[in-house]
Amino acid sequence: MLTARDLAHAIGGRRILDGADLDLARGEVVGLGGPSGSGKTTLGRILAGRLAPDRGEIRLDGAIPAPARPGVPAPVQHAPQSAELAVDPRWPVRRILANGLPPDPEVLDALGVRTEWADRRPDQLSGGELARVSLARLFHPGLALLICDEITSQLDAIEQDRLLRALTRLCAGRRIAVLLISHAGALHARFCDRAMMLDGGRIVRPPGRARFPTGA
Ligand SMILES: Nc1ncnc2c1ncn2[C@@H]1O[C@H](COP(=O)(O)OP(=O)(O)OP(=O)(O)O)[C@@H](O)[C@H]1O
């Protein structure tokens, strides 16, 4: 479904990515680890079309993805670490969720987004509630890949577990691939079909077991 070949990107003269290759199939959940500063967010932003790489090619179902156009939701969506930075703090939840398209009730239900939050602003939600709203707004009928960039790092273990279970179940049912960026190998073992890591600007298999016996 998505292939990335020979991605390279430098920031401030430092090579962050240097020949990174990645293949993701429809519906699979893949973990991406690597030390802090290794380029996980940079890679996620490039895959989502938010940052142009210096070199390399990304294809989606064999074709180069079209540039983003206002009002047309992209098939690859990037959920950043901080949900607060992803949404307009002045908007009520109903407006955040609309995001150009009417919200899908099945998505809201699966992610536990409650109707009574509709008129609240982001600062009137808990961190876990805002994370759910922020994720729900990214779903649309053409979504092929959801890049989740440390989306649960600010949540407690129980909320983290609940949210990732709901998200991976929803994506599995719709054959949406998930790239789960996290430092936590335990999350990859629990929720991912396989895991990779960034090392020296390339994507490699992590030491030890990289393919897990079951998914979520
Ligand atoms: N706009 C920028 N200007 C300067 N340096 C940047 C910029 N964006 C990223 N970097 C640097 O690029 C490197 C890779 O950053 P990136 O956020 O991709 O790493 P990461 O693996 O996601 O890190 P973390 O796990 O800490 O979130 C870091 O050293 C970071 O400081």
Side-chain angles (χ1 to χ4, degrees), residues 11-12 14 16 34-43 81 149-150 181 183 198:
I11 303 177
R14 189 185 143 217
I16 309 296
S36 181
S38 57
K40 302 181 294 297
T41 293
T42 303
L43 176 65
Q81 178 169 9
D149 192 349
E150 306 263 10
I181 298 178
H183 294 279
L198 262 173

Side-chain angles (χ1 to χ4, degrees), residues 117-134:
W117 304 343
D119 294 317
R120 294 198 213 162
R121 291 188 316 270
D123 66 349
Q124 295 168 323
L125 296 172
S126 75
E129 290 165 352
L130 183 57
R132 288 164 188 271
V133 169
S134 176

